[in-house]
Amino acid sequence: MERLQKVIANCGVCSRRKAEKLIVEGKVTVNGKVVRELGTKVSEKDSIEVMGKVLEKGQPLYFLLNKPRGVITSAHDDKNRKTVVDLINIEERIYPIGRLDYDTTGVLLLTNDGEFSNLMTHPSGRIEKVYVAKLNKTIQNKDLVQLKKGVFIDDYLVKADRIKLRKTNSDGTCIVELTIHEGRNHQVKKMFEGVGYLVDKLKRERVGFLTTGNLKSGEYRSLTPKEVHQFYVLAKKK
Ligand code: URA
């Protein structure tokens, strides 16, 4: 038996908090009866409806994709472009956790588990994301320092948890490694733009303890139950 709000969140319909709100508002039924009690426990056999829609209870699924360039991070695209979900060959409905830009490559997680998705994206979980960026010109030391101190993007101060210059190229470009734990829209590109650099290429090399490992561009694998558990441990102890 599981708590109703957890079951709803685990199906990927919404966050647990949103599920609690819907329950209290009388928008959830169990076996045809409106349930407003937050502690209500339900089992596999119960039929749950959220705002008139039957909850499809599937196995929770978790995937790690090595996202290629030129694919949209979304479950659907209005313009019918290829999405990251199209790359995962399964029937079940899943969605990406967070967002990588069309031209960004690297580690992307996908799931149908709303609770896991919330855990991974909430800044309080402080899950590290390591990006490797190719910049249009060699970065000055003072700008590395500034990115650590913080830059304003859209009136919000964001800081690099860690930053280091990996390589300077003979054509004047350079490769920088940047670690952050938030996931604002275009955050990395905006941070570099904030100190005067353009990102020519961007790869997410690591999320928490996960790298793309042996996965080639466009390849994916399931997370092991141990890896899922490790993310819960990582996010909760922060
Ligand atoms: N920051 C960006 O600017 N782009 C991404 O794809 C991810 C983080």
Side-chain angles (χ1 to χ4, degrees), residues 192-224:
F192 283 115
E193 273 165 29
V195 287
Y197 300 83
L198 290 177
V199 172
D200 286 345
K201 273 189 184 170
L202 187 61
K203 178 178 181 182
R204 185 153 70 182
E205 206 172 66
R206 182 161 67 77
V207 171
F209 50 85
L210 275 187
T211 65
T212 51
N214 294 330
L215 296 175
K216 298 201 183 85
S217 174
E219 286 185 342
Y220 63 91
R221 69 167 174 89
S222 292
L223 295 194
T224 64

Side-chain angles (χ1 to χ4, degrees), residues 99-101 104 131 186-189 202:
R99 192 173 281 265
L100 289 181
D101 295 336
T104 302
Y131 291 89
H186 313 302
Q187 180 163 339
V188 175
K189 290 177 186 168
L202 187 61

Side-chain angles (χ1 to χ4, degrees), residues 1 11 24 31 88 101 111 115 127 142 148 183 190 221:
M1 299 284 275
C11 287
V24 172
N31 304 323
I88 313 259
D101 295 336
T111 188
E115 189 188 357
I127 304 273
K142 68 169 176 45
K148 272 217 84 170
K190 285 183 177 169
R221 69 167 174 89

Side-chain angles (χ1 to χ4, degrees), residues 146-147 150-160 178 180 182-197:
Q146 189 60 52
L147 284 162
V151 289
F152 279 95
I153 55 172
D154 310 325
D155 295 333
Y156 190 86
L157 185 72
V158 285
K159 298 177 185 181
L178 173 84
I180 53 176
E182 299 156 302
R184 299 186 164 265
N185 240 353
H186 313 302
Q187 180 163 339
V188 175
K189 290 177 186 168
K190 285 183 177 169
M191 285 174 79
F192 283 115
E193 273 165 29
V195 287
Y197 300 83

